[in-house]
Amino acid sequence: MNERYNIGILVANIMDSFSNRVSKGAIAAAEAFDANLFIFPMKYLDVDYGNTMLDMKFEYQYNILMDYAAKAKLDHLIVCTGTIAYICDDVRKKEVLDHLSGTPLLNVASNIDGYDYLIYDNKAGVTQAVDYLIKKQNRKHICMMIGKLINLECRERYEAYRAALDANGIEFNNNMIIESDISEFCVSEAEELLDRNPDCDAVICANDEMASVFYPILQKRGKSIGRDIMLVGFDDSPFAVKMDPPLASVKADAYAMGYRAVEKAVNALSGKNDTDHYCKTGFIPRASCSSESLYLSNMNNVFSGDDTAIAENIINYIYQSNIPAETYEQVKQFCLKMVAELRSRIINRTADADDLKYLSDKTEEFLSRNRYGVELVPRMIETVDGCHKWLMRNAPAENVSVINRIFKYAVIKISNGMINDFKKLEDSQKEHTHLSNLFTRDTLMFNENMAMSYARMMNKFYCLDIKSSYLFLIDEPAEYHNNGEFPKNLKWKFMSYQYGMNFSMVPANERDVSSEYMYRNKYISDSERHTFIIADLYSREYQYGLLLCEPTSDKFFADLELVVYQVSAAVKLINLISEQDRINEKLHMKNIALENLSEIDEMTGIYNRRGFYRAAEAFIESNKGKDIIVCYADMDNLKLVNDGYGHSEGDFSIKSLALCLKEAFGENGIVGRMGGDEFAAFILSEKTEGIESIIGKKRRYIEHLNRTANKPYHIDMSMGFCECVCENSYDFKEAVDKADGKLYDNKTERKRRNKNKVSETDH
């Protein structure tokens, strides 16, 4: 048996319509071509999460999965660049693909030079939509929400719109279009487009989500959708048909694109020539473009034409042209066969008992094999009623009894099926809620053996239909900030794995692994095909590791974020508990030593506040009446360093400044960290050449530090000095306060001088 190909696919938010359907299509193709599939569900690149809602602030962590995919050493990667990087220009998209280019790539929903690609035929569908609006609906002022022109698909859809207007002799002006976000966050642009175009009679949108924004806006303005203003979307998302009125859209089947992407990857790996880069699109008219749409209410037109036309009309009427591609052919063949049988057995001759039994059995067989969503049932019953009328108009009078019995049977079966489906759905939801609660509970049930706790948290993974799973942790949690560089050369630990209801720890001697080992570890069976979803484990700014999940079905997509949050929380808690245990052990073993060190600042190695004042008391006791120099200092711009480069860099700066003060005051000086980025120091005047000497030593140290530290920021501190004679600790504390005041004055004066310099430069 040939070794299976290992194919990875990077998608955006897996619960968004496009990414969800692409993933499902990719899974179906991986099954068909017997390939292993690894799904990396990211979010969106270069989004300013700092300006979004708090619960989205750390979603950038998902995007680290791109780095993991780059290091996975899979056979082929499929990258949905058009959605992951939808707000990025082509230069940035090429950077993304170049970052992954160690593995053969297929670029989806985007066309970047140097990379194989797969995109929608955006022009055909938009051209059909514009032609329909002009020629069938006599629309004269068609506007467009064009999305982001840096996005290839938006750009092609806009260009097709312009070309179709021109071909139909419709004059264009720039007021008829507007750029916007390609999500529901485009309300203000939609309002502006309508305000600019008071005579607008149709709007085409670059996707369905943008089109959905117009529904409440037009309702508020008293405009009727489908009559006053017609709406067209793109993608034909599942929600389009559920809008009121149903949204006309250009059908661009993401499922078919996902399937085709895997097929192209397999062909590339097999050496087959596959130069087709386009997925078909087609315009689907619905009520948002015509109140008389065939797909909404005109049942009389369904049962007209030949058998093929009637079968296709039935499918379009029931599904409102939103039938999943994976079931279309099966339903079409049944409809074709049933229409042909009804015509031959009921219309063209006198029916008998065998005909009644045959047609009833076929109806039973089809309805038992195919389950329908509750929302389809009313249109199915309407179709049965339409078919009944069609037969009554065309069949011999002697067949009336058979016709009535057949369709009474069909309606009863559909109704019973609906009731059973409701019951199954209710039971399924209750069961899922119960199992989710078990998963949530057991994920946080730890025992004294922390290593075993990693395995025990997987105890109820099977409750979420996870067939198998594998937990990999970074040896030490890695701090990662938005737009920062992710730490390199991480050490990985393979902690535990699960198969069905069984879970196990990985033996200690097998835990140290490489990043590529995760995807081909010895506990993954080679005898069967696998689809894995890669779950990123993180908490706020910290990355903890990865969880490979093998779900039994794509229903797991809805539970993915629950798993991410719950397992991440569990790993974090185990890490904290383990760390606390280590700290407690150290406290127990080194209690006396720690007591002696209680006056030393742990980070810098100099005195802490308590130690500094105790050292000062001892010093004053033996040096009463002598002149001393007291200094108070703090770091410049610590917050900017922490915010921009992370707290580890802030800590580095603080430790560097502690060393600087020790150098400036020498071995005869006493230096302490007063808290945060604040320091104090003092020395006998007779032991130094004076304040200027201290400042000079500090300046030389800082210059050398910034020259050699190779940091992207400048390290420095401000200082305030006080010279005095100390007789007691009260005098000393007063001197420290005065030095602090001088520090404040020094900072104020420096800010004033810097401001004046900027002002002079401006003039």
Side-chain angles (χ1 to χ4, degrees):
M1 183 180 73
N2 293 330
E3 186 177 350
R4 288 183 182 85
Y5 295 130
N6 291 309
I7 298 173
I9 180 168
L10 283 76
V11 300
N13 187 342
I14 204 166
M15 287 310 294
D16 286 353
S17 178
F18 177 84
S19 297
N20 189 278
R21 294 283 294 158
V22 161
S23 299
K24 290 176 180 178
I27 292 172
E31 292 173 351
F33 295 107
D34 193 34
N36 292 326
L37 184 68
F38 298 85
I39 302 175
F40 296 83
M42 300 168 55
K43 294 292 183 178
Y44 304 96
L45 293 178
D46 298 347
V47 172
D48 185 6
Y49 288 105
N51 292 330
T52 59
M53 297 172 61
L54 183 61
D55 62 353
M56 296 172 61
K57 183 176 181 180
F58 298 101
E59 283 195 347
Y60 70 88
Q61 294 281 10
Y62 284 84
N63 296 331
I64 200 60
L65 288 173
M66 185 170 67
D67 273 22
Y68 295 151
K71 296 170 184 173
K73 295 186 179 179
L74 301 175
D75 298 318
H76 208 288
L77 281 179
I78 299 164
V79 189
C80 296
T81 322
T83 49
I84 294 170
Y86 79 92
I87 65 170
C88 305
D89 60 21
D90 287 351
V91 173
R92 174 70 171 119
K93 288 175 182 173
K94 190 174 190 309
E95 288 177 2
V96 171
L97 296 175
D98 289 346
H99 180 68
L100 297 163
S101 60
T103 304
L105 292 181
L106 174 64
N107 180 27
V108 172
S110 171
N111 182 5
I112 302 299
D113 288 344
Y115 292 97
D116 192 13
Y117 64 95
L118 182 65
I119 59 176
Y120 287 126
D121 180 3
N122 293 294
K123 296 182 179 180
V126 173
T127 300
Q128 292 172 22
V130 175
D131 286 349
Y132 176 86
L133 289 170
I134 296 171
K135 295 175 180 177
K136 299 289 187 182
Q137 299 297 337
N138 197 32
R139 299 287 133 162
K140 304 294 185 183
H141 194 107
I142 304 170
C143 299
M144 186 174 188
M145 292 275 285
I146 61 178
K148 302 279 189 182
L149 287 183
I150 60 173
N151 182 297
L152 171 68
E153 294 196 320
C154 291
R155 189 164 64 248
E156 287 192 343
R157 292 166 194 180
Y158 164 65
E159 290 169 354
Y161 155 81
R162 286 287 305 273
L165 288 182
D166 185 63
N168 282 281
I170 300 293
E171 185 178 352
F172 168 82
N173 68 72
N174 284 328
N175 279 335
M176 296 165 64
I177 61 168
I178 192 168
E179 284 198 67
S180 72
D181 193 89
I182 59 173
S183 71
E184 71 271 19
F185 300 112
C186 63
V187 175
S188 60
E189 290 88 349
E191 295 270 17
E192 181 181 345
L193 184 66
L194 294 174
D195 291 340
R196 283 189 201 167
N197 298 272
D199 54 346
C200 169
D201 55 15
V203 179
I204 295 178
C205 298
N207 67 25
D208 292 337
E209 286 193 43
M210 297 161 68
S212 69
V213 167
F214 281 89
Y215 277 68
I217 293 174
L218 292 174
Q219 183 180 22
K220 186 177 179 180
R221 294 180 177 221
K223 299 288 186 180
S224 173
I225 297 173
R227 186 181 68 240
D228 300 326
I229 294 182
M230 295 186 173
L231 283 179
V232 177
F234 200 107
D235 292 332
D236 196 29
S237 304
F239 69 81
V241 72
K242 299 175 184 177
M243 301 292 290
D244 184 18
L247 175 65
S249 186
V250 175
K251 189 173 188 63
D253 194 340
Y255 181 97
M257 179 168 273
Y259 192 101
R260 184 75 181 94
V262 170
E263 182 181 24
K264 279 182 71 69
V266 170
N267 286 344
L269 292 168
S270 304
K272 295 181 181 178
N273 187 27
D274 188 342
T275 58
D276 186 8
H277 300 295
Y278 293 93
C279 284
K280 294 180 180 179
T281 61
F283 175 59
I284 307 297
R286 295 195 181 102
S288 70
C289 271
S290 170
S291 58
E292 296 299 323
S293 172
L294 165 65
Y295 306 110
L296 179 68
S297 60
N298 200 346
M299 174 54 68
N300 291 333
N301 290 337
V302 172
F303 290 93
S304 60
D306 60 18
D307 292 355
T308 300
I310 292 174
E312 291 177 347
N313 288 345
I314 289 171
I315 295 172
N316 284 333
Y317 186 83
I318 292 174
Y319 288 93
Q320 298 283 284
S321 299
N322 201 45
I323 184 171
E326 59 270 30
T327 60
Y328 176 82
E329 195 58 37
Q330 178 184 349
V331 175
K332 180 179 177 181
Q333 290 305 316
F334 170 79
C335 290
L336 269 173
K337 186 172 183 60
M338 285 299 288
V339 170
E341 293 288 354
L342 288 169
R343 192 184 293 277
S344 65
R345 292 173 182 265
I346 304 295
I347 292 178
N348 294 339
R349 63 178 170 84
T350 301
D352 56 25
D354 288 340
D355 295 321
L356 176 61
K357 184 176 187 311
Y358 175 84
L359 293 171
S360 298
D361 288 347
K362 287 298 179 184
T363 301
E364 166 75 26
E365 177 188 341
F366 181 77
L367 292 176
S368 62
R369 276 197 336 219
N370 297 276
R371 300 264 49 93
Y372 301 94
V374 173
E375 70 275 5
L376 297 184
V377 171
R379 288 195 293 274
M380 290 180 66
I381 292 177
E382 289 172 14
T383 304
V384 168
D385 182 60
C387 185
H388 179 268
K389 292 175 180 175
W390 172 60
L391 292 176
M392 293 293 280
R393 287 195 305 269
N394 295 283
E398 58 269 24
N399 285 347
V400 169
S401 176
V402 172
I403 294 171
N404 288 336
R405 291 178 65 184
I406 290 173
F407 287 98
K408 180 180 178 181
Y409 177 80
V411 170
I412 291 172
K413 291 299 296 182
I414 292 171
S415 300
N416 287 341
M418 179 182 68
I419 293 169
N420 290 334
D421 283 350
F422 265 125
K423 184 68 168 60
K424 288 179 181 178
L425 180 62
E426 183 180 18
D427 292 343
S428 174
Q429 288 174 339
K430 288 180 180 177
E431 177 69 8
H432 185 269
T433 300
H434 172 66
L435 293 175
S436 296
N437 289 337
L438 290 178
F439 162 76
T440 302
R441 182 199 69 188
D442 281 21
T443 306
L444 299 175
M445 297 292 285
F446 308 138
N447 61 18
E448 293 181 359
N449 183 344
M450 286 295 104
M452 186 60 187
S453 292
Y454 289 116
R456 286 187 61 82
M457 79 164 65
M458 306 168 96
N459 180 29
K460 291 295 189 296
F461 275 21
Y462 72 90
C463 293
L464 297 181
D465 294 327
I466 299 175
K467 178 181 178 181
S468 68
S469 59
Y470 308 84
L471 177 66
F472 299 88
L473 299 181
I474 301 170
D475 195 30
E476 292 291 337
E479 192 171 1
Y480 175 51
H481 295 270
N482 195 15
N483 298 321
E485 185 174 350
F486 191 67
K488 293 181 172 59
N489 302 319
L490 297 174
K491 295 180 180 179
W492 287 93
K493 299 282 189 185
F494 184 10
M495 299 305 300
S496 52
Y497 60 94
Q498 164 261 338
Y499 193 91
M501 299 178 68
N502 301 313
F503 57 92
S504 299
M505 293 172 57
V506 173
N509 63 344
E510 296 181 11
R511 288 181 190 161
D512 293 327
V513 297
S514 63
S515 57
E516 59 266 27
Y517 178 80
M518 303 178 196
Y519 310 94
R520 298 178 179 84
N521 71 76
K522 73 176 193 177
Y523 297 99
I524 298 177
S525 170
D526 290 331
S527 63
E528 55 184 321
R529 194 202 68 80
H530 305 278
T531 289
F532 286 108
I533 296 180
I534 318 302
D536 178 40
L537 305 179
Y538 73 95
S539 177
R540 298 176 69 86
E541 297 94 348
Y542 287 92
Q543 285 275 332
Y544 287 92
L546 288 178
L547 181 70
L548 270 66
C549 299
E550 182 180 17
T552 58
S553 75
D554 55 41
K555 292 180 181 179
F556 174 73
F557 290 177
D559 291 319
L560 178 61
E561 289 201 350
L562 168 66
V563 171
V564 168
Y565 295 146
Q566 195 68 18
V567 176
S568 295
V571 170
K572 180 179 180 179
L573 283 174
I574 293 173
N575 189 70
L576 289 174
I577 292 170
S578 299
E579 182 64 24
Q580 188 64 48
D581 287 345
R582 288 193 291 269
I583 292 172
N584 289 338
E585 180 67 18
K586 289 179 181 178
L587 286 172
H588 177 72
M589 299 298 295
K590 301 180 179 180
N591 189 49
I592 296 175
L594 287 175
E595 178 65 26
N596 293 335
L597 293 174
S598 64
E599 296 178 355
I600 301 300
D601 178 59
E602 185 177 354
M603 180 192 296
T604 61
I606 63 177
Y607 284 117
N608 59 22
R609 185 182 188 90
R610 176 188 176 190
F612 179 76
Y613 279 115
R614 290 190 65 177
E617 288 176 3
F619 178 90
I620 293 168
E621 189 64 29
S622 58
N623 291 281
K624 284 186 179 181
K626 293 183 179 180
D627 293 336
I628 64 172
I629 297 172
V630 179
C631 170
Y632 205 91
D634 72 2
M635 179 180 167
D636 296 338
N637 301 320
L638 174 61
K639 187 176 186 304
L640 293 178
V641 173
N642 280 337
D643 290 350
Y645 305 96
H647 288 278
S648 61
E649 293 298 318
D651 292 348
F652 171 82
S653 302
I654 289 172
K655 287 186 280 189
S656 299
L657 294 178
L659 293 174
C660 175
L661 285 171
K662 289 182 70 173
E663 174 71 17
F665 280 82
E667 62 182 9
N668 294 313
I670 294 176
V671 180
R673 183 182 177 201
M674 308 305 283
D677 63 339
E678 296 183 356
F679 302 85
F682 66 94
I683 191 171
L684 280 173
S685 292
E686 64 188 55
K687 296 292 185 178
T688 183
E689 296 175 8
I691 293 174
E692 291 303 321
S693 173
I694 294 172
I695 293 174
K697 291 178 183 178
K698 171 258 185 182
R699 184 183 301 114
R700 289 190 291 276
Y701 189 98
I702 290 295
E703 288 173 353
H704 180 267
L705 171 65
N706 285 304
R707 189 170 58 253
T708 59
N710 194 28
K711 296 293 183 181
Y713 52 84
H714 186 78
I715 303 173
D716 205 348
M717 63 180 163
S718 300
M719 306 171 75
F721 292 86
C722 176
E723 295 181 270
C724 64
V725 176
C726 284
E727 295 289 346
N728 51 51
S729 60
Y730 177 84
D731 292 338
F732 180 77
K733 289 181 179 179
E734 187 177 41
V736 171
D737 289 340
K738 287 181 179 179
D740 188 15
K742 294 286 184 64
L743 166 66
Y744 178 80
D745 293 339
N746 181 24
K747 277 185 170 289
T748 302
E749 177 61 21
R750 287 172 63 190
K751 288 180 180 178
R752 186 188 63 80
R753 288 200 303 268
N754 290 336
K755 184 177 181 181
N756 289 340
K757 287 181 181 179
V758 172
S759 178
E760 290 170 5
T761 302
D762 291 340
H763 290 288

